[in-house]
Amino acid sequence: MGKGRRTALLEDLIEKAGGCAVVDGGFATQLEIHGASINDPLWSALCLIKDPDLIKKVHIEYLEAGADILVTSSYQATIPGFLSKGLSIVDGERLLEKSVKLARDARDKFWESMEKIPEHSYNRALVAASIGSYGAYLADGSEYSGCYGPDVGLDKLKDFHRRRLQVLVEAGPDLLAFETIPNKLEAQACIELLDEEDVPIPSWICFSSVDGEHAPSGESFKECLDIINKSDKVNVVGINCAPPHFIESLICKFKKLTEKAIVIYPNSGEVWDGRAKRWLPSKCFDDDKFEQFATRWRDSGAKLIGGCCRTTPSTIRRISKALKQNS
């Protein structure tokens, strides 16, 4: 598949959405609102085993709220993670496939019902298969520090991600979403894998940031984006799970460093203590603030906007309303 055809689906969606498409919001947050218990190293991926219907329900809620892109429940779903639960490799691979299937089924079901309604305002959503960082699998907060230690090199990171990436791609998502990447090394691993596996669908790479200036590792975003700019397999770059008050300046920074489209989906501004496994109160955005800032983020240059931890369908509804009203 040529680069043009590969990216056309995503570019068409952004255009149909008025120049800025809406990504869904916090997944684990919404599962917990429905009563799911996910205090576990597998986090939201635990529901792939215990309650797949709830995953589908949450996807539908985000579609109803106006999401143009659904991110799958595979962020913390890894083969080693499933093996540690006593599952086989085959079981783990089936669960990864299931994460894509649940999102695709939710999208198809929702779109089928919308097509019967004349003049609805929805777009047919795309499904992005989530690939969390190595730090997310460790479940020790290291996706917010980028400190993987001297034993974790490029080859180890590629080996860690390879099979999951293959299985997810084979399951048929519309794009891949590498999320909360904390350092240049892991970005490099993702890019090399996309090339080695000749992945035929578009992808984005999102970094987190704990200071609003750098990647969590302390490396400059220029260093990280210089690598990404050389790859024609990565179509979009951005920031997820960083506090919303950092986002405007980060979009402006990224605009100067790359020609690629920019995606942002911040958390609500609460801080996750990765060691204590709890949210710490802090400067927080409510849904009103998200609605107010969504247009500023778009006007600063973001082409895809959504929410991460502690945002809900109600947040996404407000973002969608703001962007679609003002497009």
Side-chain angles (χ1 to χ4, degrees):
M1 197 185 287
K3 180 176 181 282
R5 276 183 62 206
R6 223 183 57 211
T7 61
L9 210 57
L10 186 55
E11 285 163 3
D12 288 353
L13 177 73
I14 291 168
E15 199 179 317
K16 277 184 197 142
C20 187
V22 179
V23 183
D24 64 10
F27 205 81
T29 305
Q30 192 63 7
L31 292 173
E32 288 183 313
I33 286 169
H34 287 303
S37 173
I38 53 175
N39 187 3
D40 183 272
L42 284 179
W43 202 37
S44 53
L46 192 63
C47 282
L48 284 168
I49 305 168
K50 293 195 158 182
D51 198 349
D53 288 346
L54 183 56
I55 289 177
K56 202 162 164 184
K57 179 185 168 100
V58 171
H59 284 319
I60 297 269
E61 287 172 338
Y62 276 118
L63 291 166
E64 289 169 347
D68 299 310
I69 294 184
L70 285 182
V71 181
T72 64
S73 52
S74 51
Y75 175 77
Q76 215 137 314
T78 64
I79 308 283
F82 289 135
L83 289 175
S84 72
K85 286 275 174 208
L87 297 169
S88 69
I89 289 177
V90 172
D91 290 338
E93 290 178 353
R94 280 198 191 120
L95 289 167
L96 284 170
E97 286 165 8
K98 188 190 252 185
S99 71
V100 175
K101 186 177 187 309
L102 288 167
R104 285 180 50 171
D105 287 353
R107 184 264 315 273
D108 294 346
K109 181 184 172 191
F110 180 74
W111 188 241
E112 210 174 281
S113 65
M114 281 304 112
E115 283 191 303
K116 293 171 187 158
I117 301 169
E119 299 190 24
H120 66 81
S121 60
Y122 292 100
N123 300 305
R124 183 177 183 272
L126 298 183
V127 169
S130 169
I131 298 178
S133 63
Y134 179 67
Y137 151 70
L138 296 174
D140 62 359
S142 58
E143 72 259 52
Y144 302 108
S145 70
C147 299
Y148 291 164
D151 299 335
V152 180
L154 192 65
D155 287 340
K156 179 159 184 174
L157 288 170
K158 283 180 3 187
D159 289 344
F160 169 74
H161 283 300
R162 190 180 304 273
R163 186 60 191 141
R164 171 166 60 161
L165 177 128
Q166 290 168 340
V167 172
L168 288 172
V169 170
E170 281 161 19
D174 302 299
L175 61 152
L176 293 179
F178 294 95
E179 304 189 284
T180 56
I181 300 300
N183 56 33
K184 185 174 77 172
L185 184 71
E186 193 159 14
Q188 175 85 40
C190 298
I191 288 163
E192 290 190 15
L193 264 184
L194 290 169
D195 274 332
E196 288 167 21
E197 298 298 324
D198 198 18
V199 170
I201 52 175
S203 61
W204 75 53
I205 291 182
C206 276
F207 297 89
S208 49
S209 180
V210 284
D211 65 358
E213 289 284 327
H214 306 88
S217 57
E219 292 161 317
S220 74
F221 281 121
K222 183 181 187 313
E223 291 174 73
C224 298
L225 291 183
D226 279 351
I227 301 171
I228 291 174
N229 287 335
K230 292 176 190 145
S231 167
D232 67 353
K233 298 271 193 194
V234 181
N235 310 88
V236 182
V237 294
I239 295 285
N240 77 295
C241 216
H245 44 279
F246 291 162
I247 294 299
E248 199 168 342
S249 66
L250 283 169
I251 296 169
C252 296
K253 187 190 278 279
F254 275 43
K255 281 292 284 179
K256 290 177 190 152
L257 296 172
T258 187
E259 305 270 295
K260 294 185 189 289
I262 293 169
V263 54
I264 56 107
Y265 44 117
N267 57 36
S268 68
E270 290 170 80
V271 175
W272 176 247
D273 183 333
R275 293 195 178 282
K277 300 273 192 291
R278 66 192 181 98
W279 289 98
L280 305 173
S282 63
K283 198 158 120 191
C284 193
F285 265 38
D286 59 16
D287 292 347
D288 282 348
K289 270 267 183 70
F290 269 98
E291 185 176 342
Q292 192 186 323
F293 274 79
T295 48
R296 282 174 58 169
W297 295 335
R298 181 200 59 202
D299 296 345
S300 300
K303 293 285 183 196
L304 297 148
I305 296 174
C308 206
C309 299
R310 312 297 273 182
T311 63
T312 67
S314 120
T315 319
I316 297 311
R317 186 168 282 109
R318 302 292 278 273
I319 290 173
S320 176
K321 179 182 156 200
L323 294 175
K324 285 172 182 151
Q325 259 179 1
N326 295 286
S327 63

